[in-house]
Amino acid sequence: MALARWLILSTSLLAAAPVSLAANLVVNGDFEGYFGGYTVTSQGLAGWTVVGANLDDQVFVFGPTPGLGPQTDALDLSGFSDNPGQGVEQTVATLSGGSYRLSFDYWTGANALPSSIDVYVNGALLVDELSSGPDALPRTYVHDFTASGPTTLRFLSGDLVVANDIDNLSVSAIPEPGKGVLLLAGLLLLGLARRSCAA
């Protein structure tokens, strides 16, 4: 009887426990180690493919700037040319039917000028003109989705392009909490059955 109560309590606690995320599937999502005085071009950016019209000066990695975004290396989607529709993409190894979480930091605007970021998942527009406003402070965007196979992420500079920046990109699997609960319940019932047989 006590074992049955413990089983109910344990499965209830497991079901209520927060879901932890698995490893990041994005390659080079933090852009660290590329800053070289604004001279590192997008062509050498591991894991990413440059998209847009101006491939010679598409995006660039910049280092910490006091008062502008997080104090780590980050990616400016608009590069030096400040044209809309410039950016990067990467295909990550998501599995069909799996649940995943996309997360990234972004900030737009400089000198009180607004600008925006467009985000695509498998060619479909997920966010149109995502903007943090003119304060140049970073925000975090989170989107959960179910994959239908490998997932292609595309980040493009949007309207009135000034400092369209992204950092800390991740795509992580969201474990199904029900599986852990069922496994524990099965193990406990097996233990209970063995105990009953031994008695």
Side-chain angles (χ1 to χ4, degrees), residues 59 130 148 171:
V59 296
L130 178 65
S148 58
V171 172

Side-chain angles (χ1 to χ4, degrees), residues 119-141:
V119 183
Y120 295 81
V121 174
N122 289 331
L125 184 63
L126 174 64
V127 184
D128 184 18
E129 298 184 10
L130 178 65
S131 177
S132 63
D135 59 10
L137 296 176
R139 270 65 165 184
T140 299
Y141 182 85

Side-chain angles (χ1 to χ4, degrees), residues 55-185:
L55 298 183
D56 291 330
D57 171 31
Q58 185 82 30
V59 296
F60 67 85
V61 175
F62 65 95
T65 304
L68 181 64
Q71 298 306 293
T72 60
D73 291 353
L75 186 72
D76 185 333
L77 295 170
S78 58
F80 294 109
S81 55
D82 288 344
N83 291 321
Q86 300 179 172
V88 293
E89 73 175 20
Q90 181 176 145
T91 299
V92 295
T94 51
L95 302 176
S96 182
S99 297
Y100 295 88
R101 175 164 296 160
L102 164 66
S103 174
F104 60 92
D105 295 336
Y106 69 97
W107 60 103
T108 62
N111 302 319
L113 295 174
S115 57
S116 63
I117 294 170
D118 298 332
V119 183
Y120 295 81
V121 174
N122 289 331
L125 184 63
L126 174 64
V127 184
D128 184 18
E129 298 184 10
L130 178 65
S131 177
S132 63
D135 59 10
L137 296 176
R139 270 65 165 184
T140 299
Y141 182 85
V142 177
H143 173 72
D144 293 345
F145 66 97
T146 300
S148 58
T151 300
T152 299
L153 308 171
R154 177 177 283 200
F155 299 85
L156 298 178
S157 55
D159 298 333
L160 191 56
V161 180
V162 179
N164 286 322
D165 308 318
I166 57 175
D167 199 7
N168 302 319
L169 286 92
S170 69
V171 172
S172 301
I174 304 174
E176 297 178 33
K179 288 183 179 178
V181 171
L182 289 175
L183 177 62
L184 178 62

